[in-house]
Amino acid sequence: MIDMKNVCFDYDNGTHALHHISLKVEDGEFLFLVGQSGAGKSSLLKLITCENVATSGSVFINGYNLGKLRKFEVPYFRRTMGMIFQDFRLIQNMTVFDNVAFVLRVTNHSNKYIKARVPYVLDLVNLRDEANKYPHEMSGGEQQRVAIARALASGPPILIADEPTGNLDPALSLQIVELLFDINRYCGTTIMLVTHEHELVRHFGGRVVSIENGQIAFDEVIGGQNEGK
Ligand code: ADP
């Protein structure tokens, strides 16, 4: 659960990036966060991932009060959140299996667990048979699916997708967002998808939070164009 109350954030140079943001995202929700370049999306995400701390107001996520988080607690907090990015961020000299297994290895999971868990998450993204491939042998859409599998490997309650379709053509973008909706429904993962692609949002519909000039301009549920199809 994400609960931001009356959050302001100023950069050191005095830029007021976020003004009095209040945003609650319940467990299991799927949310689009939209806004023009410079609106404050990244600043908001950096508060959610605890890269920055709110100048005022409070941020509670997955039981952690981020304003009071001690330094040693930050990595534990971050493990409650999976992240995917526009540029996939896969390790090029590792196979698909090892890219996904990596996060489990660094958090000291047993080999037995890893051998069972990695095929399970690869199955979720329909890449069960691609475990031995390297990222450069895969299409952009497939690489993003590997990144999604990696983000889900440790079973985080929240997945943050930061412009996940920015490097993909429109058809693949739809597939990736459809996959994220499936994961939201099937695994119950709370998903926040940050995008500036309004077409995508209109296509799917759902809860849309729009940021303008560091403020929430609207927070509404809209109908999708593919409803009933
Ligand atoms: P978005 O992600 O929606 O493009 P940002 O959160 O990056 O927007 O930016 C919000 C505002 O904060 C903008 O005015 C931007 O210029 C400013 N900003 C972003 N990063 C920094 C920074 N590191 N230092 C100072 N100002 C920043």
Side-chain angles (χ1 to χ4, degrees):
M1 201 248 267
I2 298 176
D3 192 7
M4 309 181 90
K5 286 200 186 99
N6 208 15
V7 168
C8 299
F9 180 72
D10 303 336
Y11 284 100
D12 289 343
N13 68 356
T15 304
H16 302 300
L18 299 172
H19 316 270
H20 304 288
I21 299 264
S22 289
L23 175 67
K24 195 166 185 175
V25 186
E26 301 288 351
D27 290 342
E29 270 196 82
F30 191 111
L31 172 111
F32 287 104
L33 180 70
V34 299
Q36 307 266 336
S37 180
K41 303 181 299 298
S42 308
S43 302
L44 188 72
L45 280 193
K46 283 181 188 159
L47 295 185
I48 290 173
T49 56
C50 208
E51 272 173 75
N52 288 329
V53 176
T55 309
S56 62
S58 60
V59 183
F60 288 88
I61 299 177
N62 294 337
Y64 290 86
N65 177 352
L66 300 200
K68 298 221 163 104
L69 211 56
R70 314 243 312 261
K71 213 172 176 181
F72 79 89
E73 294 176 299
V74 173
Y76 295 99
F77 161 69
R78 291 216 178 110
R79 282 176 209 164
T80 69
M81 212 172 303
M83 295 280 300
I84 60 168
F85 307 93
Q86 178 170 348
D87 56 359
F88 320 136
R89 302 195 189 178
L90 299 175
I91 302 171
Q92 293 301 317
N93 61 358
M94 278 189 191
T95 62
V96 165
F97 185 98
D98 286 332
N99 264 283
V100 178
F102 185 72
V103 275
L104 298 173
R105 291 193 176 117
V106 295
T107 48
N108 293 322
H109 285 85
S110 69
N111 276 336
K112 187 175 170 207
Y113 178 78
I114 291 170
K115 271 191 187 152
R117 181 71 184 171
V118 174
Y120 173 77
V121 287
L122 286 177
D123 215 7
L124 286 178
V125 299
N126 300 319
L127 287 177
R128 181 186 23 206
D129 299 327
E130 318 293 326
N132 294 322
K133 281 195 175 165
Y134 287 86
H136 68 86
E137 297 174 306
M138 310 181 95
S139 70
E142 287 173 327
Q143 290 190 50
Q144 192 58 294
R145 275 150 57 196
V146 177
I148 293 170
R150 179 182 57 183
L152 294 173
S154 60
I158 297 181
L159 179 68
I160 307 283
D162 187 3
E163 299 278 1
T165 59
N167 276 337
L168 304 176
D169 65 41
L172 277 178
S173 296
L174 292 182
Q175 283 178 24
I176 288 293
V177 179
E178 251 157 37
L179 175 61
L180 291 173
F181 268 104
D182 286 346
I183 286 162
N184 167 255
R185 276 189 291 260
Y186 182 69
C187 306
T189 313
T190 307
I191 299 187
M192 181 185 274
L193 194 160
V194 182
T195 183
H196 64 274
E197 293 175 55
H198 289 277
E199 267 307 304
L200 210 56
V201 177
R202 277 196 287 271
H203 179 86
F204 288 97
R207 184 174 172 195
V208 182
V209 174
S210 171
I211 299 200
E212 285 173 25
N213 297 318
Q215 289 175 303
I216 294 186
F218 73 82
D219 179 351
E220 286 168 22
V221 176
I222 64 165
Q225 288 164 350
N226 70 339
E227 262 180 13
K229 285 185 192 166

